[in-house]
Amino acid sequence: MTGRVLVAGVGNVFLRDDGFGVEAVRRLAARAHELPPGVELMDAGIRGVHLAYRLLEGYRTLVLVDIVSRGGPPGTLHTIDVGPGPPVARPGPGPLDTHAMDPATVLALLHDLHAGAGGTLPEEVYVIGCEPGDTGEGMDLTPPVAGAVDAAGDLVLGLVRRAGSVPQRN
């Protein structure tokens, strides 16, 4: 297992606050000098299938940045330790909508791909999530969500620095 870390911004930039993850990773790229070696950033946007295949390349840690609805006020940040196992709630059978893939769907697909094609699953999976205010059509984040972007970057930096200091399992 390598020590590589992938930070992926997920979301649709044409649906206001749903673009939070993409904007957070874009802004974090401007702070690349603060990232430890082995950390890669990815604007996954709505390309969940591409993200799942990329993860099979062997990352020790995955950090997804996205919106999450947990009942808090817009702009509230959450750090969720998903763990390496497949999600408990899996999407039902039927056609895969590649334009509506939330983190749980991506992780379920990743485990299905791993079962069929092999590859390496991440040992650690986290979601840095932000409570959305408005996910209707539009390209601007609402003010509370826009105000949480840099703080989300700080949370990501804390996680990836910690991930880099944890001994690797063999």
Side-chain angles (χ1 to χ4, degrees), residues 63-120:
V63 180
L64 294 171
V65 186
D66 197 5
I67 57 169
V68 296
S69 296
R70 294 191 130 188
T76 302
L77 294 173
H78 305 280
T79 301
I80 304 163
D81 183 347
V82 177
V88 175
R90 295 175 65 90
L96 186 64
D97 181 358
T98 59
H99 294 284
M101 293 187 72
D102 61 10
T105 304
V106 170
L107 294 173
L109 177 61
L110 171 63
H111 283 271
D112 291 346
L113 290 172
H114 178 261
T120 305

Side-chain angles (χ1 to χ4, degrees), residues 5-110:
V5 176
L6 181 64
V7 178
V10 179
N12 187 334
V13 297
F14 297 110
L15 298 177
R16 301 228 30 188
D17 289 344
D18 193 40
F20 169 79
V22 172
E23 177 61 19
V25 168
R26 184 194 68 76
R27 203 160 317 160
L28 191 56
R31 300 168 63 182
H33 62 281
E34 298 179 54
L35 295 170
V39 176
E40 300 172 32
L41 302 176
M42 177 184 182
D43 170 358
I46 59 171
R47 297 171 297 138
V49 173
H50 179 73
L51 171 60
Y53 273 107
R54 182 163 173 187
L55 286 167
L56 292 176
E57 296 173 8
Y59 292 89
R60 182 178 184 285
T61 303
L62 168 64
V63 180
L64 294 171
V65 186
D66 197 5
I67 57 169
V68 296
S69 296
R70 294 191 130 188
T76 302
L77 294 173
H78 305 280
T79 301
I80 304 163
D81 183 347
V82 177
V88 175
R90 295 175 65 90
L96 186 64
D97 181 358
T98 59
H99 294 284
M101 293 187 72
D102 61 10
T105 304
V106 170
L107 294 173
L109 177 61
L110 171 63

